[in-house]
Amino acid sequence: MLMSGVAEEVSSSATSSPLLSFMSISPTALGSPYSPWLRELKSDERGLFLIHLLLNCANHVAAGNLDQANAFLEHISLLASPEGDTMQRIASYFTEALARRLLRSWPGLYRALNPVAADSSATAAARRLFVDLCPFLRLSFLVSNQAILEAMEGEKMVHIVDLGGSDPAQWLALLQGLASRPEGPPHLRVTAVGEHKELHLHTASVLSKEAEKLDIPFQFNAVVSKLDSLNVESLRVKTGEALAINSVLQLHSLLASDDIAAARKLFPFKSAGTLGELLDKDQGSDSSSSPFNLTPSAKMETFLASLWSLSPKIMVVTEQESNHNGSTLNERFVEALNFYAALFDCLESTLPRQSLERLSVEKKLFGEEIKNIMACEGLERKERHEKLERWMMRLEMAGFGRMPLSYYGMLQARRMLQGFGCDGYRVKEENGCFLFCWQDRALFSVSAWNFRRVD
Amino acid sequence: MPVEFEGSSVMTMSNSASGETSVSSGHLAAAASLLPPPKKKRNLPGMPDPDAEVIALSPKTLMATNRFVCEICNKGFQRDQNLQLHRRGHNLPWKLRQRTGKEVKKRVYVCPEPSCVHHDPSRALGDLTGIKKHFCRKHGEKKWKCDKCLKKYAVQSDWKAHAKTCGTREYRCDCGTLFSRRDSFITHRAFCDALAEESARTQTNAVAVAAEKESKLAVTAPANLQEKQMAPPPPPSDQKGILQYLPQPPLAPVSMSMNCSNSSCTTTSCGSSSLFASTVATQRTSFSDLIGSMSRPEVEPPSLCLSSNGPSSLFPPAPDRRQFPALQPSAHMSATALLQKAAQMGAAASGSSFLRGFGLAASTSPLAAGGGGEAQWPEPASMSAGLGLGLPYDSGCAAAGLPDMMMGSAALFGSKPAATLDFLGLGPSGGANAGGLSAFINSIGGGGLEAYSSGRSSSPVKTWDGGGGGDVKANGRAIL
C-alpha cells in the first residue's frame, strides 16, 4: 500500500526537517478565495478550515514567506469576522496580528501603521468589562481578598500595595470583609501603582467613601509609575504595618526585555546565522519543553527582589495560565490559539453574539493581547504570560515562600460560580494554588506568597 | 369528588399521627363552605395512619393489571374510570349507577413478601400503586434494560425516567465519579477536593482511618484515571468533553496510538478511497460529508488511538454507504473543540480523506518543483468549488535551510513518526514531513495538553515550520 511504502521512506529521512503537518497547503492550490463553495460552508467546517489556514499562515509568517502568507491572509480575511461565530472571531484577531507581524519586515510601514501606544483608557475600560462579564477576575479578587484577610488576622495596621491598581472593586470587597472582622477593622492603607492618574483619583474617591461608610480608618495613596521603573521607596511602607502586595495580571509585563541583547549575552561566542535563528535553535525547542529552563529576566529578578525586601506578609499573584513567552513565533501562536480559543468560547457561552460589550472585550482586550503576543518583540512585547509552574519557580528563586490558599477560599469561589449562572467555569486547586478554568482548560492562576521561605 | 366534612370526621383525620393541630369543629363547618376543599392530608412518611385499614394482597393480586372488575359481566379494567365508562353501557338503573357515597376508609397496604420490611403493618405503605411498584422493584425481576448504560429496572416507569436522563447531562468530578444531577455533583466536589487537599497537605493528621482511606481513594483515583487514559481507550463518554480525554503526554501511548492509527490507516484506506471514489465520482461531495465522516472518530472514545474502535466502525466497507452524517447536529462546536478535532484529524487516517475530499488524490506523484497543485486534481470535476488543495510543497524547498528543531520530536515518536503522515500522499518527497505531524499534534494537542494537564510535566510543545513551496506559482486558480 502506498502508505507503508512511504512510511519507510519517511522514517528514514528523519534527518530532514519536518514540515507542517498533513494540512500544509500550497497557497496557490487554495484556489480563489471568492469561490461560492466557501460561502456555503457550515460553521464548524469553516472553523476547521480556518484553523488550517491559520496554521499555514502562521508558518509562512514565521518563515518570512511573504507571498504565501499573503495568500493565506487573503483567504482567512474573507472567512473571518469579528462578529461571526467563535472561530471566525478568533481568526479575525489572529490574522490581524499575523499581518502586523508580517509588516515588521518593513519597519517603516510597521511604525507608520502602528500606533505606538495602545489606547490605554480603552484597554482599561475593556478590562473592567471583562471583570463584569466573566467571573475569572472576580474570582481572583475574592480569593485574593480571602487570603489577605486570613493573613491579616490580628493585625492592627494593614497596608495593601496594588500593582496596576485600576479597579477598586477588589478593595471595596476587602473593606467589607475587614469591617466584619470579629476583632474589628484595622487601620487600612491602600497604595495603588499605575500609570494613569485619573484612574487613581476615581479609585481614591470610591474607596474613601466606602471606608467612611464602614467606619474604617483609611488612607489612599497613588503612585503614578510604570512597574518596571517603580521605586519601592515611593510606596512608603512603614515599620510596624503588615504589608500585602497584590498583582492581578501585572507581573508578566516585567518579563519584557530586549531578547536579542539577552541572547547575545547568553551566547556571545556564536556567530553563525542570524540571531533569530540562533534563538530559535538554542532556545526554541527548549523554552517550553522543560519548565526548568526559565528565560532569565534581570528586570523581573530585580523587581521581585525589591518587593521581597519589603518583607510582605503576603503577596497574591494572579496570572494568565498559558505560555505566551516562547521565543519562537510558532510556539506562541499555538499556545495563544488554544488559550484564546478557550476564552472566546467562554464569552460565546456567556454572552450573545450581538453583545457590544463582548465585542469590546474581544477586540480591545483580547485582540490587543493577541497582537502584542504575535506581532511585537523585545521590550514592546509586554504580554509575556507564563504558566504557574514557572511563576512558582521565579518567585521561589526570589526568596518567596508559598502560602497555600485555604479551603474556605475554594468554597467561596465555588459558591460564587454557582451563583454566576453559567455552566462550564471551574475552580481547581493545585499545589495550594487555584486555577480558574473554562471547562477543562485552566486559564488563570492565583497563588499566595510571603517573604519567608518555607524550607 | 366533593369531600363532605362533618366535624367528627375532621377530628379523626387530624389525629396523633399527623402532628397537626386540629381546628375546632365549629370553625371548620363554616370554613369548609367558604374554602376550597382542603388538600388530602398526608401522613408523615414512615408512619401510617393508626386506624387505617390494613390490606394484604397476594403477589398475584398485586401484579394483576386488571383490578377493576365489572360486577355485571366480570370484565377487568386497568383503570377505574374505564370501568365506569363500561358500566354505563349496561344501562343500570339510577341508584346502582352512583358510586357508593360513603367515604372510603383509609387503606394501607403491606408487602406480601415476608422477609420485606414493609411486610409489617406498622411499616405499611399508603398507596396501592406505591406498593405495587415497591414489590416489583425489590422482589421482582428486572425486565427493563437501559441500552446506553446497561442499568436494569423492574418498573417500566423507572426505566423510562432513567432513559430520559441517561447520558444527556453528565458531570464528572476529578476523581472520576459521574453524576447526572448538578446538585449532587456540586456537593460532591466540595468534599471530594477537600479530601484530596487534606490528604495532600497533612500526613500526620489525626483523622479517622476511614476518612484517610476515603481521601486516598480520591487521590489515587486521578492516578488511576491517568493510567486508564494512557492505555487506550478510556471508557466512552459521548459528551463533548473531549478535552478531558486528551491522552497524556507520555510518549509511549502516543507512539502506540500512532501505530494504531497506522494500522487502521492501512486497513481503512482501501475502504475510504473506494468510498471516496464512489462518492466523489457520483455526486457532489460536500465538505459536510467529509466532516461527517471525520466526526465519527470523535463520537467514539476520543483518544488519538483509533484502533480500539475497529476500522469497521469508522469506515463501513459497503461502497454505497452514505454513512456520513451531517456534522454533529449539536449546533456549533466550540473553538477549543474544533482545535481538538483538527488535532485528531491530524492523527487519524481520516485526515487523508479530508484532504482527498479537497480534491487531493492519494496516490500522487511527487511534485515537480514548481509544479504546484495542478497534478493533483483528480475527480473533482464534480467539485464545483475546485478547492483542490494541492500537496504542500515541492521537493525544492525540502532542504531549504529549515531548522531541524523537530529532530527531537521525530526521535520521540520512535520508529513511526510519520506513519500517519504518509496519507498526505506526499510520495517520496514526503520525507521532509517526518515528525511534522507529530509536531503538529503536539503543537495543537500538546500545547493543549500542556494546558489541560496543568502542572504535570508535559511533552514539549514543538514548533513546526512551514515549508510551502517557495516557488510554486499562483496557477491553481486555473482549476476554477
Side-chain angles (χ1 to χ4, degrees):
Chain A
M1 179 84 217
L2 168 78
M3 314 263 174
S4 37
V6 174
E8 263 100 80
E9 282 238 26
V10 168
S11 47
S12 66
S13 56
T15 47
S16 62
S17 321
L19 276 186
L20 188 48
S21 68
F22 74 97
M23 45 187 100
S24 48
I25 305 165
S26 159
T28 64
L30 279 175
S32 159
Y34 299 95
S35 60
W37 175 97
L38 286 172
R39 244 164 277 141
E40 289 171 35
L41 281 177
K42 289 202 212 118
S43 152
D44 293 343
E45 300 158 354
R46 182 180 50 212
L48 275 174
F49 191 39
L50 276 171
I51 296 175
H52 299 174
L53 291 174
L54 278 171
L55 288 170
N56 278 276
C57 185
N59 233 19
H60 286 300
V61 170
N65 304 331
L66 297 175
D67 289 323
Q68 291 88 322
N70 176 60
F72 279 106
L73 282 177
E74 199 181 358
H75 264 84
I76 306 177
S77 315
L78 288 165
L79 290 174
S81 157
E83 284 152 20
D85 65 29
T86 322
M87 204 60 227
Q88 279 180 302
R89 292 180 186 221
I90 298 174
S92 68
Y93 297 115
F94 270 92
T95 11
E96 193 187 338
L98 285 171
R100 280 189 190 275
R101 179 65 187 219
L102 215 48
L103 216 50
R104 290 180 74 92
S105 318
W106 293 282
L109 267 180
Y110 178 71
R111 281 253 166 73
L113 287 174
N114 236 3
V116 174
D119 185 4
S120 50
S121 60
T123 317
R127 169 75 69 87
R128 231 167 287 132
L129 273 179
F130 180 53
V131 170
D132 287 331
L133 300 177
C134 289
F136 297 118
L137 292 187
R138 269 178 286 155
L139 282 171
S140 154
F141 296 163
L142 180 66
V143 167
S144 312
N145 284 350
Q146 179 61 27
I148 294 176
L149 279 171
E150 284 168 14
M152 297 301 180
E153 263 173 48
E155 293 285 349
K156 297 275 177 1
M157 313 269 294
V158 174
H159 184 183
I160 311 235
V161 169
D162 188 11
L163 304 175
S166 60
D167 202 331
Q170 184 175 1
W171 310 122
L172 281 173
L174 185 69
L175 278 170
Q176 280 155 9
L178 285 173
S180 49
R181 280 204 316 186
E183 67 260 39
H187 267 264
L188 182 66
R189 280 178 64 207
V190 171
T191 306
V193 179
E195 291 181 55
H196 306 289
K197 194 156 172 214
E198 321 77 50
L199 294 172
H200 287 314
L201 292 172
H202 167 74
T203 313
S205 73
V206 164
L207 291 181
S208 313
K209 272 198 214 111
E210 185 72 14
E212 216 180 282
K213 213 169 57 169
L214 295 169
D215 201 19
I216 301 180
F218 177 71
Q219 198 186 50
F220 181 83
N221 298 95
V223 174
V224 181
S225 158
K226 279 205 208 162
L227 274 189
D228 45 17
S229 52
L230 178 66
N231 177 6
V232 289
E233 300 295 321
S234 60
L235 297 173
R236 304 253 179 97
V237 178
K238 299 187 191 144
T239 48
E241 63 185 13
L243 177 66
I245 304 181
N246 187 64
S247 156
V248 176
L249 309 179
Q250 299 295 319
L251 272 189
H252 58 251
S253 63
L254 287 161
L255 292 172
S257 69
D258 190 358
D259 301 304
I260 309 274
R264 273 218 179 87
K265 276 197 218 131
L266 283 175
F267 308 104
F269 41 87
K270 298 230 176 163
S271 58
T274 66
L275 261 171
E277 254 182 52
L278 194 69
L279 277 174
D280 285 351
K281 214 172 193 172
D282 286 290
Q283 286 185 348
S285 48
D286 281 335
S287 66
S288 59
S289 59
S290 79
F292 304 110
N293 201 339
L294 284 179
T295 346
S297 166
K299 225 199 295 182
M300 174 65 80
E301 285 163 26
T302 330
F303 187 74
L304 287 178
S306 60
L307 287 183
W308 189 88
S309 68
L310 296 172
S311 316
K313 191 143 190 226
I314 182 172
M315 177 163 88
V316 192
V317 176
T318 305
E319 280 293 327
Q320 287 96 336
E321 178 69 4
S322 184
N323 183 22
H324 296 153
N325 198 15
S327 48
T328 64
L329 185 71
N330 285 336
E331 234 182 296
R332 301 206 298 272
F333 175 75
V334 170
E335 285 282 325
L337 193 59
N338 277 289
F339 182 77
Y340 287 100
L343 269 179
F344 274 73
D345 278 339
C346 167
L347 282 181
E348 166 86 6
S349 308
T350 316
L351 291 160
R353 288 219 181 133
Q354 319 86 292
S355 159
L356 288 174
E357 293 161 333
R358 171 182 166 189
L359 203 60
S360 179
V361 171
E362 286 174 354
K363 183 173 169 141
K364 304 207 179 115
L365 189 59
F366 299 156
E368 292 297 316
E369 285 176 10
I370 294 172
K371 269 195 279 192
N372 190 272
I373 296 172
M374 302 283 292
C376 297
E377 286 296 344
L379 283 166
E380 264 187 349
R381 178 153 62 88
K382 296 254 174 223
E383 302 292 340
R384 302 221 180 200
H385 312 151
E386 282 190 345
K387 290 207 175 173
L388 180 61
E389 57 199 1
R390 291 219 182 169
W391 285 116
M392 282 168 52
M393 272 192 279
R394 288 193 194 276
L395 288 162
E396 273 165 18
M397 283 197 319
F400 288 93
R402 190 156 41 88
M403 288 170 58
L405 295 168
S406 76
Y407 178 60
Y408 184 58
M410 166 71 84
L411 280 183
Q412 284 184 309
R414 291 209 168 128
R415 209 178 301 143
M416 173 187 264
L417 282 182
Q418 281 178 38
F420 185 66
C422 177
D423 242 343
Y425 294 96
R426 291 175 55 181
V427 181
K428 282 207 284 207
E429 182 266 342
E430 202 171 274
N431 289 330
C433 311
F434 290 168
L435 295 168
F436 304 138
C437 315
W438 168 253
Q439 307 291 1
D440 274 330
R441 165 75 214 226
L443 293 174
F444 295 94
S445 70
V446 182
S447 54
W449 305 82
N450 61 21
F451 79 105
R452 261 182 301 272
R453 280 198 79 157
V454 182
D455 268 332
Chain B
M1 183 160 105
V3 178
E4 279 180 89
F5 272 109
E6 309 149 48
S8 56
S9 65
V10 172
M11 296 293 259
T12 45
M13 276 175 74
S14 58
N15 64 5
S16 53
S18 68
E20 286 173 7
T21 53
S22 52
V23 185
S24 68
S25 51
H27 277 291
L28 209 56
S33 49
L34 297 169
L35 299 166
K39 284 198 251 180
K40 205 164 169 191
K41 191 178 81 67
R42 274 177 155 255
N43 284 313
L44 287 178
M47 300 202 316
D49 196 350
D51 55 7
E53 189 184 340
V54 179
I55 314 264
L57 299 166
S58 73
K60 195 161 135 244
T61 325
L62 210 50
M63 301 291 282
T65 43
N66 299 346
R67 55 192 186 90
F68 296 98
V69 184
C70 173
E71 59 260 28
I72 298 167
C73 62
N74 274 328
K75 191 169 152 78
F77 295 89
Q78 281 204 27
R79 291 213 179 92
D80 188 41
Q81 296 97 310
N82 300 347
L83 172 63
Q84 296 311 310
L85 276 173
H86 161 82
R87 283 174 82 228
R88 285 207 269 180
H90 282 307
N91 291 320
L92 297 164
W94 174 256
K95 253 174 75 178
L96 288 177
R97 226 170 168 220
Q98 301 294 91
R99 288 294 294 266
T100 46
K102 76 165 172 65
E103 191 178 316
V104 183
K105 183 130 202 244
K106 177 93 173 115
R107 284 189 182 152
V108 293
Y109 303 89
V110 289
C111 181
E113 172 68 34
S115 59
C116 185
V117 173
H118 294 290
H119 188 69
D120 184 7
S122 66
R123 296 293 309 272
L125 299 172
D127 190 52
L128 179 61
T129 323
I131 194 74
K132 286 167 81 174
K133 283 199 178 167
H134 155 81
F135 186 73
C136 282
R137 276 193 204 116
K138 293 285 168 54
H139 314 299
E141 179 204 329
K142 299 191 173 174
K143 289 184 250 164
W144 306 97
K145 296 179 180 58
C146 173
D147 47 3
K148 281 188 208 158
C149 69
L150 308 172
K151 271 181 105 160
K152 295 200 194 112
Y153 295 92
V155 181
Q156 189 187 21
S157 51
D158 290 346
W159 172 73
K160 274 196 196 163
H162 167 81
K164 275 192 199 168
T165 58
C166 181
T168 47
R169 192 95 187 220
E170 279 176 344
Y171 303 90
R172 176 177 285 271
C173 174
D174 292 333
C175 68
T177 331
L178 268 177
F179 295 87
S180 61
R181 293 179 55 139
R182 189 184 146 88
D183 47 5
S184 46
F185 171 60
I186 288 174
T187 319
H188 164 85
R189 291 210 66 206
F191 291 107
C192 169
D193 276 11
L195 294 171
E197 193 182 329
E198 242 185 326
S199 68
R201 264 203 249 167
T202 54
Q203 302 294 331
T204 59
N205 223 354
V207 178
V209 177
E212 237 185 3
K213 260 199 224 158
E214 220 180 326
S215 62
K216 277 198 199 126
L217 274 176
V219 170
T220 53
N224 290 340
L225 198 63
Q226 245 185 318
E227 283 168 8
K228 265 199 279 178
Q229 284 178 343
M230 303 229 284
S237 148
D238 357 329
Q239 51 182 346
K240 238 190 277 185
I242 318 168
L243 312 171
Q244 300 176 19
Y245 287 98
L246 279 177
Q248 297 306 311
L251 321 174
V254 182
S255 55
M256 216 164 37
S257 66
M258 291 295 218
N259 294 340
C260 296
S261 29
N262 182 39
S263 59
S264 62
C265 204
T266 46
T267 48
T268 58
S269 53
C270 308
S272 62
S273 53
S274 66
L275 220 40
F276 275 95
S278 57
T279 51
V280 168
T282 52
Q283 50 213 314
R284 182 195 163 146
T285 309
S286 70
F287 198 122
S288 59
D289 295 338
L290 296 165
I291 296 295
S293 67
M294 301 321 123
S295 70
R296 283 312 199 76
E298 188 190 278
V299 174
E300 302 298 273
S303 68
L304 281 181
C305 174
L306 296 174
S307 68
S308 51
N309 306 334
S312 52
S313 62
L314 284 180
F315 292 100
D320 63 316
R321 195 93 57 98
R322 283 265 306 184
Q323 278 284 346
F324 311 109
L327 194 53
Q328 308 282 355
S330 52
H332 305 294
M333 290 170 66
S334 68
T336 23
L338 283 173
L339 282 170
Q340 248 351 83
K341 193 161 185 191
Q344 274 188 339
M345 287 168 61
S350 50
S352 62
S353 330
F354 177 72
L355 275 187
R356 272 194 229 114
F358 276 119
L360 191 60
S363 56
T364 56
S365 48
L367 292 170
E374 296 168 89
Q376 310 313 327
W377 312 69
E379 300 80 39
S382 52
M383 283 195 63
S384 51
L387 179 67
L389 301 178
L391 280 180
Y393 70 102
D394 53 345
S395 35
C397 76
L402 296 163
D404 54 1
M405 32 174 156
M406 294 327 302
M407 281 260 352
S409 79
L412 272 181
F413 291 102
S415 58
K416 291 193 181 255
T420 48
L421 290 178
D422 39 25
F423 54 66
L424 293 184
L426 292 176
S429 58
N433 261 346
L437 178 64
S438 38
F440 174 68
I441 296 172
N442 253 336
S443 39
I444 291 286
L449 281 180
E450 208 175 88
Y452 301 138
S453 59
S454 48
R456 283 183 215 115
S457 64
S458 45
S459 70
V461 173
K462 297 300 188 185
T463 60
W464 35 266
D465 234 43
D471 30 301
V472 177
K473 291 297 173 264
N475 47 15
R477 286 189 169 83
I479 273 300
L480 282 185

